[in-house]
PDB file of all heavy atoms in Angstrom:
ATOM      1  N   ASN A   1     -60.794 107.905  39.707  1.00  0.00           N
ATOM      2  CA  ASN A   1     -61.561 106.666  39.850  1.00  0.00           C
ATOM      3  C   ASN A   1     -61.073 105.842  41.034  1.00  0.00           C
ATOM      4  O   ASN A   1     -61.824 105.051  41.608  1.00  0.00           O
ATOM      5  CB  ASN A   1     -61.471 105.823  38.577  1.00  0.00           C
ATOM      6  CG  ASN A   1     -62.353 106.371  37.474  1.00  0.00           C
ATOM      7  OD1 ASN A   1     -63.488 106.763  37.721  1.00  0.00           O
ATOM      8  ND2 ASN A   1     -61.821 106.436  36.271  1.00  0.00           N
ATOM      9  N   LEU A   2     -59.806 106.030  41.406  1.00  0.00           N
ATOM     10  CA  LEU A   2     -59.275 105.306  42.558  1.00  0.00           C
ATOM     11  C   LEU A   2     -60.006 105.693  43.837  1.00  0.00           C
ATOM     12  O   LEU A   2     -60.163 104.879  44.748  1.00  0.00           O
ATOM     13  CB  LEU A   2     -57.776 105.577  42.705  1.00  0.00           C
ATOM     14  CG  LEU A   2     -56.883 105.213  41.516  1.00  0.00           C
ATOM     15  CD1 LEU A   2     -55.420 105.497  41.856  1.00  0.00           C
ATOM     16  CD2 LEU A   2     -57.071 103.760  41.113  1.00  0.00           C
ATOM     17  N   LEU A   3     -60.478 106.938  43.889  1.00  0.00           N
ATOM     18  CA  LEU A   3     -61.198 107.389  45.077  1.00  0.00           C
ATOM     19  C   LEU A   3     -62.567 106.734  45.174  1.00  0.00           C
ATOM     20  O   LEU A   3     -63.065 106.467  46.273  1.00  0.00           O
ATOM     21  CB  LEU A   3     -61.332 108.910  45.062  1.00  0.00           C
ATOM     22  CG  LEU A   3     -60.012 109.684  45.095  1.00  0.00           C
ATOM     23  CD1 LEU A   3     -60.272 111.185  45.094  1.00  0.00           C
ATOM     24  CD2 LEU A   3     -59.169 109.283  46.296  1.00  0.00           C
ATOM     25  N   ARG A   4     -63.191 106.462  44.044  1.00  0.00           N
ATOM     26  CA  ARG A   4     -64.466 105.737  44.060  1.00  0.00           C
ATOM     27  C   ARG A   4     -64.260 104.330  44.602  1.00  0.00           C
ATOM     28  O   ARG A   4     -65.075 103.817  45.389  1.00  0.00           O
ATOM     29  CB  ARG A   4     -65.072 105.662  42.654  1.00  0.00           C
ATOM     30  CG  ARG A   4     -65.559 106.990  42.103  1.00  0.00           C
ATOM     31  CD  ARG A   4     -66.211 106.821  40.738  1.00  0.00           C
ATOM     32  NE  ARG A   4     -67.336 105.906  40.772  1.00  0.00           N
ATOM     33  CZ  ARG A   4     -67.424 104.767  40.106  1.00  0.00           C
ATOM     34  NH1 ARG A   4     -66.413 104.367  39.341  1.00  0.00           N
ATOM     35  NH2 ARG A   4     -68.486 104.013  40.179  1.00  0.00           N
ATOM     36  N   VAL A   5     -63.185 103.690  44.175  1.00  0.00           N
ATOM     37  CA  VAL A   5     -62.873 102.346  44.682  1.00  0.00           C
ATOM     38  C   VAL A   5     -62.602 102.407  46.183  1.00  0.00           C
ATOM     39  O   VAL A   5     -63.113 101.592  46.958  1.00  0.00           O
ATOM     40  CB  VAL A   5     -61.668 101.755  43.929  1.00  0.00           C
ATOM     41  CG1 VAL A   5     -61.245 100.425  44.561  1.00  0.00           C
ATOM     42  CG2 VAL A   5     -61.988 101.575  42.455  1.00  0.00           C
ATOM     43  N   PHE A   6     -61.811 103.376  46.596  1.00  0.00           N
ATOM     44  CA  PHE A   6     -61.495 103.535  48.020  1.00  0.00           C
ATOM     45  C   PHE A   6     -62.769 103.721  48.850  1.00  0.00           C
ATOM     46  O   PHE A   6     -62.946 103.090  49.900  1.00  0.00           O
ATOM     47  CB  PHE A   6     -60.562 104.738  48.185  1.00  0.00           C
ATOM     48  CG  PHE A   6     -60.325 105.142  49.607  1.00  0.00           C
ATOM     49  CD1 PHE A   6     -59.545 104.363  50.447  1.00  0.00           C
ATOM     50  CD2 PHE A   6     -60.873 106.316  50.106  1.00  0.00           C
ATOM     51  CE1 PHE A   6     -59.325 104.743  51.770  1.00  0.00           C
ATOM     52  CE2 PHE A   6     -60.657 106.699  51.418  1.00  0.00           C
ATOM     53  CZ  PHE A   6     -59.883 105.912  52.255  1.00  0.00           C
ATOM     54  N   ASP A   7     -63.672 104.578  48.378  1.00  0.00           N
ATOM     55  CA  ASP A   7     -64.919 104.826  49.105  1.00  0.00           C
ATOM     56  C   ASP A   7     -65.743 103.553  49.244  1.00  0.00           C
ATOM     57  O   ASP A   7     -66.297 103.259  50.319  1.00  0.00           O
ATOM     58  CB  ASP A   7     -65.722 105.914  48.382  1.00  0.00           C
ATOM     59  CG  ASP A   7     -67.059 106.178  49.050  1.00  0.00           C
ATOM     60  OD1 ASP A   7     -67.074 106.432  50.266  1.00  0.00           O
ATOM     61  OD2 ASP A   7     -68.089 106.116  48.354  1.00  0.00           O
ATOM     62  N   GLU A   8     -65.837 102.780  48.183  1.00  0.00           N
ATOM     63  CA  GLU A   8     -66.638 101.555  48.229  1.00  0.00           C
ATOM     64  C   GLU A   8     -66.013 100.516  49.150  1.00  0.00           C
ATOM     65  O   GLU A   8     -66.721  99.828  49.899  1.00  0.00           O
ATOM     66  CB  GLU A   8     -66.800 100.981  46.815  1.00  0.00           C
ATOM     67  CG  GLU A   8     -67.966 100.030  46.658  1.00  0.00           C
ATOM     68  CD  GLU A   8     -69.310 100.707  46.904  1.00  0.00           C
ATOM     69  OE1 GLU A   8     -69.532 101.808  46.375  1.00  0.00           O
ATOM     70  OE2 GLU A   8     -70.117 100.112  47.651  1.00  0.00           O
ATOM     71  N   VAL A   9     -64.696 100.395  49.117  1.00  0.00           N
ATOM     72  CA  VAL A   9     -64.015  99.448  50.003  1.00  0.00           C
ATOM     73  C   VAL A   9     -64.200  99.863  51.462  1.00  0.00           C
ATOM     74  O   VAL A   9     -64.448  99.026  52.339  1.00  0.00           O
ATOM     75  CB  VAL A   9     -62.514  99.348  49.650  1.00  0.00           C
ATOM     76  CG1 VAL A   9     -61.750  98.561  50.722  1.00  0.00           C
ATOM     77  CG2 VAL A   9     -62.331  98.691  48.290  1.00  0.00           C
ATOM     78  N   MET A  10     -64.114 101.145  51.739  1.00  0.00           N
ATOM     79  CA  MET A  10     -64.304 101.625  53.105  1.00  0.00           C
ATOM     80  C   MET A  10     -65.730 101.396  53.581  1.00  0.00           C
ATOM     81  O   MET A  10     -65.977 101.111  54.751  1.00  0.00           O
ATOM     82  CB  MET A  10     -63.952 103.111  53.189  1.00  0.00           C
ATOM     83  CG  MET A  10     -62.476 103.411  53.019  1.00  0.00           C
ATOM     84  SD  MET A  10     -61.472 102.774  54.381  1.00  0.00           S
ATOM     85  CE  MET A  10     -62.004 103.851  55.716  1.00  0.00           C
ATOM     86  N   THR A  11     -66.687 101.520  52.686  1.00  0.00           N
ATOM     87  CA  THR A  11     -68.086 101.295  53.047  1.00  0.00           C
ATOM     88  C   THR A  11     -68.347  99.828  53.332  1.00  0.00           C
ATOM     89  O   THR A  11     -68.986  99.477  54.338  1.00  0.00           O
ATOM     90  CB  THR A  11     -69.016 101.775  51.916  1.00  0.00           C
ATOM     91  OG1 THR A  11     -68.818 103.172  51.705  1.00  0.00           O
ATOM     92  CG2 THR A  11     -70.474 101.518  52.255  1.00  0.00           C
ATOM     93  N   GLU A  12     -67.862  98.946  52.468  1.00  0.00           N
ATOM     94  CA  GLU A  12     -68.168  97.522  52.588  1.00  0.00           C
ATOM     95  C   GLU A  12     -67.212  96.772  53.503  1.00  0.00           C
ATOM     96  O   GLU A  12     -67.582  95.718  54.042  1.00  0.00           O
ATOM     97  CB  GLU A  12     -68.139  96.874  51.192  1.00  0.00           C
ATOM     98  CG  GLU A  12     -69.236  97.348  50.252  1.00  0.00           C
ATOM     99  CD  GLU A  12     -70.615  96.878  50.709  1.00  0.00           C
ATOM    100  OE1 GLU A  12     -70.686  95.981  51.587  1.00  0.00           O
ATOM    101  OE2 GLU A  12     -71.600  97.421  50.202  1.00  0.00           O
ATOM    102  N   ARG A  13     -65.980  97.280  53.645  1.00  0.00           N
ATOM    103  CA  ARG A  13     -64.937  96.575  54.398  1.00  0.00           C
ATOM    104  C   ARG A  13     -64.722  95.164  53.844  1.00  0.00           C
ATOM    105  O   ARG A  13     -64.350  94.240  54.559  1.00  0.00           O
ATOM    106  CB  ARG A  13     -65.286  96.485  55.890  1.00  0.00           C
ATOM    107  CG  ARG A  13     -65.481  97.808  56.593  1.00  0.00           C
ATOM    108  CD  ARG A  13     -64.177  98.593  56.709  1.00  0.00           C
ATOM    109  NE  ARG A  13     -64.206  99.557  57.800  1.00  0.00           N
ATOM    110  CZ  ARG A  13     -64.629 100.804  57.710  1.00  0.00           C
ATOM    111  NH1 ARG A  13     -65.061 101.265  56.524  1.00  0.00           N
ATOM    112  NH2 ARG A  13     -64.602 101.619  58.753  1.00  0.00           N
ATOM    113  N   ASN A  14     -64.951  95.001  52.554  1.00  0.00           N
ATOM    114  CA  ASN A  14     -64.826  93.692  51.909  1.00  0.00           C
ATOM    115  C   ASN A  14     -64.564  93.927  50.426  1.00  0.00           C
ATOM    116  O   ASN A  14     -65.357  94.611  49.748  1.00  0.00           O
ATOM    117  CB  ASN A  14     -66.101  92.878  52.127  1.00  0.00           C
ATOM    118  CG  ASN A  14     -66.009  91.491  51.532  1.00  0.00           C
ATOM    119  OD1 ASN A  14     -66.148  91.316  50.329  1.00  0.00           O
ATOM    120  ND2 ASN A  14     -65.794  90.494  52.390  1.00  0.00           N
ATOM    121  N   LEU A  15     -63.473  93.356  49.892  1.00  0.00           N
ATOM    122  CA  LEU A  15     -63.101  93.607  48.505  1.00  0.00           C
ATOM    123  C   LEU A  15     -64.082  92.981  47.519  1.00  0.00           C
ATOM    124  O   LEU A  15     -64.373  93.561  46.468  1.00  0.00           O
ATOM    125  CB  LEU A  15     -61.686  93.079  48.238  1.00  0.00           C
ATOM    126  CG  LEU A  15     -60.549  93.711  49.049  1.00  0.00           C
ATOM    127  CD1 LEU A  15     -59.207  93.202  48.551  1.00  0.00           C
ATOM    128  CD2 LEU A  15     -60.602  95.225  48.993  1.00  0.00           C
ATOM    129  N   THR A  16     -64.587  91.787  47.835  1.00  0.00           N
ATOM    130  CA  THR A  16     -65.515  91.123  46.915  1.00  0.00           C
ATOM    131  C   THR A  16     -66.808  91.909  46.775  1.00  0.00           C
ATOM    132  O   THR A  16     -67.301  92.138  45.666  1.00  0.00           O
ATOM    133  CB  THR A  16     -65.816  89.691  47.401  1.00  0.00           C
ATOM    134  OG1 THR A  16     -64.591  88.955  47.478  1.00  0.00           O
ATOM    135  CG2 THR A  16     -66.772  88.985  46.460  1.00  0.00           C
ATOM    136  N   ARG A  17     -67.381  92.339  47.897  1.00  0.00           N
ATOM    137  CA  ARG A  17     -68.626  93.114  47.829  1.00  0.00           C
ATOM    138  C   ARG A  17     -68.392  94.449  47.136  1.00  0.00           C
ATOM    139  O   ARG A  17     -69.236  94.912  46.363  1.00  0.00           O
ATOM    140  CB  ARG A  17     -69.197  93.322  49.231  1.00  0.00           C
ATOM    141  CG  ARG A  17     -69.764  92.058  49.869  1.00  0.00           C
ATOM    142  CD  ARG A  17     -70.697  92.396  51.026  1.00  0.00           C
ATOM    143  NE  ARG A  17     -69.994  93.099  52.098  1.00  0.00           N
ATOM    144  CZ  ARG A  17     -69.427  92.497  53.139  1.00  0.00           C
ATOM    145  NH1 ARG A  17     -69.458  91.171  53.226  1.00  0.00           N
ATOM    146  NH2 ARG A  17     -68.836  93.188  54.084  1.00  0.00           N
ATOM    147  N   ALA A  18     -67.258  95.079  47.428  1.00  0.00           N
ATOM    148  CA  ALA A  18     -66.952  96.349  46.769  1.00  0.00           C
ATOM    149  C   ALA A  18     -66.839  96.163  45.259  1.00  0.00           C
ATOM    150  O   ALA A  18     -67.352  96.976  44.484  1.00  0.00           O
ATOM    151  CB  ALA A  18     -65.651  96.925  47.333  1.00  0.00           C
ATOM    152  N   ALA A  19     -66.183  95.079  44.843  1.00  0.00           N
ATOM    153  CA  ALA A  19     -66.044  94.804  43.407  1.00  0.00           C
ATOM    154  C   ALA A  19     -67.405  94.598  42.760  1.00  0.00           C
ATOM    155  O   ALA A  19     -67.677  95.113  41.668  1.00  0.00           O
ATOM    156  CB  ALA A  19     -65.163  93.575  43.200  1.00  0.00           C
ATOM    157  N   ASN A  20     -68.300  93.862  43.432  1.00  0.00           N
ATOM    158  CA  ASN A  20     -69.645  93.633  42.890  1.00  0.00           C
ATOM    159  C   ASN A  20     -70.403  94.950  42.751  1.00  0.00           C
ATOM    160  O   ASN A  20     -71.075  95.194  41.740  1.00  0.00           O
ATOM    161  CB  ASN A  20     -70.423  92.673  43.798  1.00  0.00           C
ATOM    162  CG  ASN A  20     -69.907  91.255  43.713  1.00  0.00           C
ATOM    163  OD1 ASN A  20     -69.285  90.862  42.726  1.00  0.00           O
ATOM    164  ND2 ASN A  20     -70.161  90.465  44.737  1.00  0.00           N
ATOM    165  N   ASN A  21     -70.323  95.804  43.757  1.00  0.00           N
ATOM    166  CA  ASN A  21     -71.028  97.086  43.710  1.00  0.00           C
ATOM    167  C   ASN A  21     -70.509  97.983  42.599  1.00  0.00           C
ATOM    168  O   ASN A  21     -71.260  98.784  42.023  1.00  0.00           O
ATOM    169  CB  ASN A  21     -70.896  97.806  45.054  1.00  0.00           C
ATOM    170  CG  ASN A  21     -71.593  97.078  46.184  1.00  0.00           C
ATOM    171  OD1 ASN A  21     -72.402  96.187  45.955  1.00  0.00           O
ATOM    172  ND2 ASN A  21     -71.265  97.442  47.416  1.00  0.00           N
ATOM    173  N   LEU A  22     -69.217  97.867  42.307  1.00  0.00           N
ATOM    174  CA  LEU A  22     -68.597  98.719  41.285  1.00  0.00           C
ATOM    175  C   LEU A  22     -68.601  98.088  39.902  1.00  0.00           C
ATOM    176  O   LEU A  22     -68.102  98.692  38.941  1.00  0.00           O
ATOM    177  CB  LEU A  22     -67.145  99.027  41.685  1.00  0.00           C
ATOM    178  CG  LEU A  22     -66.957  99.899  42.932  1.00  0.00           C
ATOM    179  CD1 LEU A  22     -65.522  99.811  43.424  1.00  0.00           C
ATOM    180  CD2 LEU A  22     -67.332 101.341  42.624  1.00  0.00           C
ATOM    181  N   ALA A  23     -69.154  96.863  39.794  1.00  0.00           N
ATOM    182  CA  ALA A  23     -69.136  96.122  38.526  1.00  0.00           C
ATOM    183  C   ALA A  23     -67.697  95.928  38.039  1.00  0.00           C
ATOM    184  O   ALA A  23     -67.390  96.090  36.857  1.00  0.00           O
ATOM    185  CB  ALA A  23     -69.985  96.822  37.465  1.00  0.00           C
ATOM    186  N   MET A  24     -66.815  95.592  38.981  1.00  0.00           N
ATOM    187  CA  MET A  24     -65.413  95.327  38.676  1.00  0.00           C
ATOM    188  C   MET A  24     -65.058  93.933  39.179  1.00  0.00           C
ATOM    189  O   MET A  24     -65.811  93.321  39.938  1.00  0.00           O
ATOM    190  CB  MET A  24     -64.511  96.366  39.366  1.00  0.00           C
ATOM    191  CG  MET A  24     -64.715  97.800  38.916  1.00  0.00           C
ATOM    192  SD  MET A  24     -63.811  99.002  39.956  1.00  0.00           S
ATOM    193  CE  MET A  24     -62.101  98.532  39.658  1.00  0.00           C
ATOM    194  N   THR A  25     -63.904  93.446  38.762  1.00  0.00           N
ATOM    195  CA  THR A  25     -63.398  92.195  39.304  1.00  0.00           C
ATOM    196  C   THR A  25     -62.635  92.499  40.591  1.00  0.00           C
ATOM    197  O   THR A  25     -62.151  93.625  40.796  1.00  0.00           O
ATOM    198  CB  THR A  25     -62.462  91.486  38.321  1.00  0.00           C
ATOM    199  OG1 THR A  25     -61.294  92.302  38.119  1.00  0.00           O
ATOM    200  CG2 THR A  25     -63.165  91.236  36.981  1.00  0.00           C
ATOM    201  N   GLN A  26     -62.492  91.480  41.440  1.00  0.00           N
ATOM    202  CA  GLN A  26     -61.754  91.696  42.671  1.00  0.00           C
ATOM    203  C   GLN A  26     -60.283  92.037  42.400  1.00  0.00           C
ATOM    204  O   GLN A  26     -59.727  92.919  43.063  1.00  0.00           O
ATOM    205  CB  GLN A  26     -61.849  90.482  43.592  1.00  0.00           C
ATOM    206  CG  GLN A  26     -61.167  90.711  44.931  1.00  0.00           C
ATOM    207  CD  GLN A  26     -61.398  89.580  45.911  1.00  0.00           C
ATOM    208  OE1 GLN A  26     -62.444  88.933  45.895  1.00  0.00           O
ATOM    209  NE2 GLN A  26     -60.413  89.324  46.772  1.00  0.00           N
ATOM    210  N   PRO A  27     -59.626  91.382  41.430  1.00  0.00           N
ATOM    211  CA  PRO A  27     -58.243  91.787  41.134  1.00  0.00           C
ATOM    212  C   PRO A  27     -58.125  93.244  40.698  1.00  0.00           C
ATOM    213  O   PRO A  27     -57.148  93.921  41.024  1.00  0.00           O
ATOM    214  CB  PRO A  27     -57.836  90.835  40.004  1.00  0.00           C
ATOM    215  CG  PRO A  27     -58.671  89.615  40.227  1.00  0.00           C
ATOM    216  CD  PRO A  27     -59.982  90.140  40.711  1.00  0.00           C
ATOM    217  N   ALA A  28     -59.153  93.734  39.967  1.00  0.00           N
ATOM    218  CA  ALA A  28     -59.120  95.134  39.545  1.00  0.00           C
ATOM    219  C   ALA A  28     -59.228  96.069  40.750  1.00  0.00           C
ATOM    220  O   ALA A  28     -58.565  97.111  40.803  1.00  0.00           O
ATOM    221  CB  ALA A  28     -60.245  95.413  38.554  1.00  0.00           C
ATOM    222  N   VAL A  29     -60.062  95.697  41.727  1.00  0.00           N
ATOM    223  CA  VAL A  29     -60.178  96.499  42.945  1.00  0.00           C
ATOM    224  C   VAL A  29     -58.865  96.471  43.714  1.00  0.00           C
ATOM    225  O   VAL A  29     -58.374  97.498  44.196  1.00  0.00           O
ATOM    226  CB  VAL A  29     -61.341  95.987  43.819  1.00  0.00           C
ATOM    227  CG1 VAL A  29     -61.290  96.611  45.214  1.00  0.00           C
ATOM    228  CG2 VAL A  29     -62.678  96.307  43.152  1.00  0.00           C
ATOM    229  N   SER A  30     -58.266  95.296  43.836  1.00  0.00           N
ATOM    230  CA  SER A  30     -56.975  95.180  44.531  1.00  0.00           C
ATOM    231  C   SER A  30     -55.900  96.016  43.839  1.00  0.00           C
ATOM    232  O   SER A  30     -55.084  96.670  44.501  1.00  0.00           O
ATOM    233  CB  SER A  30     -56.541  93.709  44.587  1.00  0.00           C
ATOM    234  OG  SER A  30     -57.471  92.940  45.323  1.00  0.00           O
ATOM    235  N   ASN A  31     -55.919  96.010  42.521  1.00  0.00           N
ATOM    236  CA  ASN A  31     -54.937  96.797  41.770  1.00  0.00           C
ATOM    237  C   ASN A  31     -55.153  98.295  41.986  1.00  0.00           C
ATOM    238  O   ASN A  31     -54.191  99.059  42.118  1.00  0.00           O
ATOM    239  CB  ASN A  31     -55.030  96.458  40.280  1.00  0.00           C
ATOM    240  CG  ASN A  31     -53.977  97.193  39.461  1.00  0.00           C
ATOM    241  OD1 ASN A  31     -52.789  97.070  39.712  1.00  0.00           O
ATOM    242  ND2 ASN A  31     -54.437  97.957  38.477  1.00  0.00           N
ATOM    243  N   ALA A  32     -56.423  98.714  42.029  1.00  0.00           N
ATOM    244  CA  ALA A  32     -56.720 100.132  42.262  1.00  0.00           C
ATOM    245  C   ALA A  32     -56.231 100.553  43.650  1.00  0.00           C
ATOM    246  O   ALA A  32     -55.669 101.643  43.816  1.00  0.00           O
ATOM    247  CB  ALA A  32     -58.215 100.388  42.122  1.00  0.00           C
ATOM    248  N   LEU A  33     -56.434  99.698  44.639  1.00  0.00           N
ATOM    249  CA  LEU A  33     -55.951 100.009  45.981  1.00  0.00           C
ATOM    250  C   LEU A  33     -54.425 100.098  46.012  1.00  0.00           C
ATOM    251  O   LEU A  33     -53.858 100.958  46.689  1.00  0.00           O
ATOM    252  CB  LEU A  33     -56.432  98.955  46.974  1.00  0.00           C
ATOM    253  CG  LEU A  33     -57.884  99.055  47.431  1.00  0.00           C
ATOM    254  CD1 LEU A  33     -58.221  97.890  48.359  1.00  0.00           C
ATOM    255  CD2 LEU A  33     -58.150 100.375  48.139  1.00  0.00           C
TER     256      LEU A  33
END
């Protein structure tokens, strides 16, 4: 699942947008990274 987060962050270049696309919180995305 960490790779899904990585892919979304690389696509958006923004943690907030990546979190929204993944239906996650920004802290959860930061923790996954």
Side-chain angles (χ1 to χ4, degrees):
N1 284 317
L2 302 182
L3 298 181
R4 291 183 58 242
V5 174
F6 171 72
D7 177 53
E8 200 63 46
V9 170
M10 291 293 291
T11 299
E12 293 292 346
R13 301 292 203 271
N14 182 282
L15 298 187
T16 301
R17 289 198 298 268
N20 289 337
N21 294 345
L22 293 165
M24 297 171 63
T25 65
Q26 184 173 328
V29 168
S30 298
N31 183 57
L33 282 177

